[in-house]
Amino acid sequence: MATAERQRQEVDLIGLFARMARIRAFERKVQALFKRGNLPGFVHLYIGEEAVGVGACSVLDDADKITSTHRGHGHLLAKGADPKLMMAELLGRETGYCKGKGGSMHIVDYSLGILGANGIVGGGLPIATGSGLADRVLGRDRVTVCFFGDGASNQGVLHEALNLSAIWSLPVIFLCENNHYTEWMRTEDITAGRIADRSQAFGIPGVQVDGNDVLAVREAAATAVARARAGEGPSLIEAETYRHHGHNEGEEVFSGPYRPQDEIDDWIARDPLVLFRNRLVDDGAAPEQFDEIQEREEQLIEEAYRFAEESPMPAAASALDDLYAETE
Amino acid sequence: MATAERQRQEVDLIGLFARMARIRAFERKVQALFKRGNLPGFVHLYIGEEAVGVGACSVLDDADKITSTHRGHGHLLAKGADPKLMMAELLGRETGYCKGKGGSMHIVDYSLGILGANGIVGGGLPIATGSGLADRVLGRDRVTVCFFGDGASNQGVLHEALNLSAIWSLPVIFLCENNHYTEWMRTEDITAGRIADRSQAFGIPGVQVDGNDVLAVREAAATAVARARAGEGPSLIEAETYRHHGHNEGEEVFSGPYRPQDEIDDWIARDPLVLFRNRLVDDGAAPEQFDEIQEREEQLIEEAYRFAEESPMPAAASALDDLYAETE
Amino acid sequence: MTETLVKDTYMTTAIAGALKAAMAEDESVIVLGEDVELSTIGCTKGLVDEFGTNRVRNSPISEATVVGSCVGAAATGLRPVMDLMFSSFFYVALDQVANQAARLRYMSGGQVDLPLVYFAGTGPSGSAAAQHSENPHSLLMHLSGIKVVFPSSPGDAAGLLIASVRDPNPVVFLLDLMLAGSKGPVPAEIEPLLIGKAEVKRSGDDVTIVAIASAVGAALEVAAELEADGVSAEVIDPRTLTPFDWDAVTESVARTGRLVVVDPARRTCGAAGEIVARVTESNWPDLKSRPRRVTWEDVPIPFSPVLEEAVTLRQDQIREAVTATVAGNGRA
Amino acid sequence: MTETLVKDTYMTTAIAGALKAAMAEDESVIVLGEDVELSTIGCTKGLVDEFGTNRVRNSPISEATVVGSCVGAAATGLRPVMDLMFSSFFYVALDQVANQAARLRYMSGGQVDLPLVYFAGTGPSGSAAAQHSENPHSLLMHLSGIKVVFPSSPGDAAGLLIASVRDPNPVVFLLDLMLAGSKGPVPAEIEPLLIGKAEVKRSGDDVTIVAIASAVGAALEVAAELEADGVSAEVIDPRTLTPFDWDAVTESVARTGRLVVVDPARRTCGAAGEIVARVTESNWPDLKSRPRRVTWEDVPIPFSPVLEEAVTLRQDQIREAVTATVAGNGRA
Ligand SMILES: Cc1ncc(C[n+]2csc(CCOP(=O)(O)OP(=O)(O)O)c2C)c(N)n1
Ligand SMILES: Cc1ncc(C[n+]2csc(CCOP(=O)(O)OP(=O)(O)O)c2C)c(N)n1
Ligand SMILES: [Mg+2]
Ligand SMILES: [Mg+2]
């Protein structure tokens, strides 16, 4: 547990806040762009869930890895992805992470251990397991955090991934972001029992944490990461949280209201950025700095947007590139 | 629990033994045919596991349903399938259950609620769930027993089927036959935790029973069936048992010995037929009748074989029939 | 019948209407899938209000098991219609489609009917990228044992949807998402259309264009343009791919002697190749010039609009292919 | 090189030998799958003794996750070789093949190589029935993004296996189970063969027979028989289907002017149709007679030996097709 202890102590609290603010600023910008009709494709925003991605990634090194989801912007930024390259990808530009081939649901940065957002719900579970397998086989001291949603918890690959990583003691942290909705369905209506309990039959610890409390998530992740690095195998964490926005931007045209207003209000009152800021201020942090940080991050995102917008569209012919790697 | 109680009391103990004897005789015949090279395709024998199928099916009515596996002969006979039509199918004859199109792994008798053996490990789990769904939607007082193996317990569809049947309170009994091997692998090497525990996170009761004790299986099944009929939803039963034979007939040519001899000996000493016979004799049953029953069942199987052997092969052209039902 | 046409009905509304009619006429029809109560694409909209939650069931994200449960339910008295939302998700559940739904009847020697429908939106819908833009019809055609319906107009969609639900066999019903917002006439009383019957959407003498789903509209436009150049193009919409109305196509090519196939799908081992091969075999003596295919490129669908456009069907390609085919004469 | 040939090596032994060599030359190669320690088909036999359980891993029956774990492992430093045992089980895991393995490189703009091999025995092996007899190569060809290797001889299998493991892309390597017990020469030092290079297995002038996997042997026998009738048939084995050596086939048909394709697979949307369509397009002026396909019937593989024989390839059908194609002259 030495590493977990060290990581807990070394935490840069303001840095955590700044990263959450970056995600918030990025998503706000994306929202605005979508509204103006400037964004192609599907967009699923992470607003309200920032504490999960930031808390979990705060205990990872660059060489550690994550797999992400269709709601992945927050995970990627938390893991250090470049907002410029992300924004360019969202706008379908040549300079984007995937040269415009991927878009919001498929951003990848292998150099940062980001093994991919995924458009298939649950698709990252086997991939994260394989990443853990590689670490195990090669004897590398690395871990993989697999983000997945409450909806994804009903895919059979969760069961398989838990079993496989248990029998092989793989260094994988299965992190369920329970925002209580599967698209427009209340997840509890289609899900039996507690998600955190789903690892128990495999002898894997499963815990529930407040996903709007960045330090609580960090703490749970640190414990799981320490366990993984010690060779003791996988863990499951269920982080309870909420998305302030719709399932995807633009849902209003067909969804109508589908969540109780007081539920929405209650969760917005527990906005993870506000919660954390208040806590830090209560603990003596200078209040002004938070607005500054937010402004700085907003500027950064504006720059990212300018970079993206000024970038060229990919050449049509490039659509035929990148399918196969050249053989030696 | 009234039904369970009634069924428990009405049991025809000698009938249970006779059905187990029928399965044993059938499988012995199949084994002999395979050895002589008279049997096409793959054959997986049920010898040693008879108490599971017979115990479970003894609490079902004709209109109740089962899904079976690649090791399905025992389940089908337990549910009342006709040995003649089964044997004819195994020999690929026109008179077989599937007119020779299915073979050992695909025998079906919809009139007896036998929804199918299955060559895909775990393939029956969703199908059984759907059968339960039909009963639920139509308000029928029926149950479905889904037989599956310990190896199949690692397929993700188990997780999904448990969840789906829990949220919809489906009258399905998931019955895992744990014979401790997944082909030539010890299942415990590739399986985390106890299989019986895998339902708990879904709020579904899970129990372990001695799968070589036909009355213990019957008892557990009766409880689960009563629960299902009362609208309280699914159950999981893990029946511990052992196959006396190989994974498939003919494995010797490549498998070599892969199970400890004393393990095999121990389980054969607990042969479910012998155990049950001894118990009945201890309870006062006349010992001679058991040999008579076994002989009678062996004769029945010999007749089935003769029927099969004398049946014609299907016409080659019939290979093109039966793919689509005629539209009205 | 034309009097009773409801004009300008959306494709999605037409399907929803047909589904409602199918549920009303037969109590054993149920609808299940993720968000079928709310209806993401719109084809199950309002059904839950009409028929209640016993027959309209929101399901969890467990495609393999929900797809498979339709097999079990269809074998035991229901007629399930499952909405898979995007056809890319078929891959998650393909075992239950390919090894179970499409096999059980045959393997059982015809003992059981499996009246079930797998509905899915399909194909590119504008930068939905590689995992939400597949067109799996060719792959499904290769399986055998499952019917494949892929209509091009609201009227056809409504009639074929009713027919699919009534059909005693497993049917995949695909809604080309490029057409989700398109409109057309639909009869007030929806009558079933025959599964396996193509429609000549435009008659012509010089060349046969076989076009699938959203390609039909593009082919018709090209045909209209080419009329000015004196080219008389026949446009055939197979409407259903399994079974396929080969007679309609071979009869047409026997007259025109020329074939262009337009298929919104990757080329290799796709439906277009099958049609070219089949017609080449059957109409060899009739063919006056080289048959041609217009398809997507053999790559996944990329995200960026410019790239998506580059790999999918473009009208100019259809025009070129038809022009070249008409110009061809004999072996040249 | 002929001196170093190990004669009469079984196909399975050749593959096992190549796999052993691949593991020996690169520590990042691992083998996983159900019963790979014991080896059901024989292609992983003995590997665990040589390389230990860290690199040779028995896996549970969880095909979707094991297939997907190869993607994650390949993206992060390993070269996994997974044994799926029977190719029918691809359907259980198809999402991870079609939406992940075959897509991640492209979707990421080429950021990542995925050096992995999915190995499977495939096709009928004698009354294994519908769920253990699929040949999924056509379906895999349609996906794009994943290579498909399907050899017909032990020597080719060995060379292509090494090449598959060294390849930086996902590869499906299929062993036609009809050939599992066949023998042939294999070099003592296995050299990689080019993936994407066909081999002319027999030269001829009158007709080109393209034959896949176990169909190659049957085609060669037919070609030998027909020699007596004065027919000179060329037999081309593509050996790999993605990428496909179109040049080899079009060059041959340019000479012979006649084409017969023999493919052990259902007909509709299969590889044979693709080859006929493609050659018809490319070699239109060369074709002296109607091209023909010999394939399975469009039904699942039935159990009973008489039925299985009735729907799969028969030599007499190949002979008839070749004879008819050679007899054809021009449009007649
Ligand atoms: C296999 C698959 N099924 C369905 C979908 C459609 N879909 C996209 S997001 C989503 C809901 C996911 O819910 P959850 O996992 O809770 O993530 P959240 O959106 O709440 O972050 C669904 C059903 C999909 N993308 N992939
Ligand atoms: C999806 C799938 N994967 C693998 C196989 C090959 N296979 C056939 S039986 C079997 C073992 C099944 O073990 P278990 O479920 O314990 O049943 P048992 O044979 O012990 O009765 C395997 C791996 C298969 N038929 N289907
Ligand atoms: Mg959610
Ligand atoms: Mg077992």
Side-chain angles (χ1 to χ4, degrees), chain B residues 44 49 69-71 119-121 148-153 155 177 179 181-183 187 243 247, chain D residues 34 61 63 85-86 89 92 132:
Chain B
H44 309 85
E49 310 189 19
T69 68
H70 58 286
R71 196 178 301 288
I120 298 297
V121 171
F148 65 103
D150 43 317
S153 77
Q155 285 286 34
E177 299 185 298
N179 62 15
Y181 283 84
T182 298
E183 290 185 349
T187 300
R243 53 170 163 77
H247 171 67
Chain D
E34 294 152 28
I61 314 181
E63 281 89 357
M85 202 179 330
F86 285 92
F89 310 155
V92 180
H132 286 73

Side-chain angles (χ1 to χ4, degrees), chain A residues 70-71 119-121 149-152 155 179 181-183 243 247, chain C residues 34 61 63 85 89 92 132:
Chain A
H70 58 287
R71 196 179 301 289
I120 297 298
V121 171
D150 43 318
Q155 286 285 35
N179 62 13
Y181 285 84
T182 298
E183 290 186 349
R243 54 170 163 75
H247 171 67
Chain C
E34 293 152 29
I61 313 181
E63 281 89 358
M85 202 178 332
F89 310 155
V92 179
H132 287 73

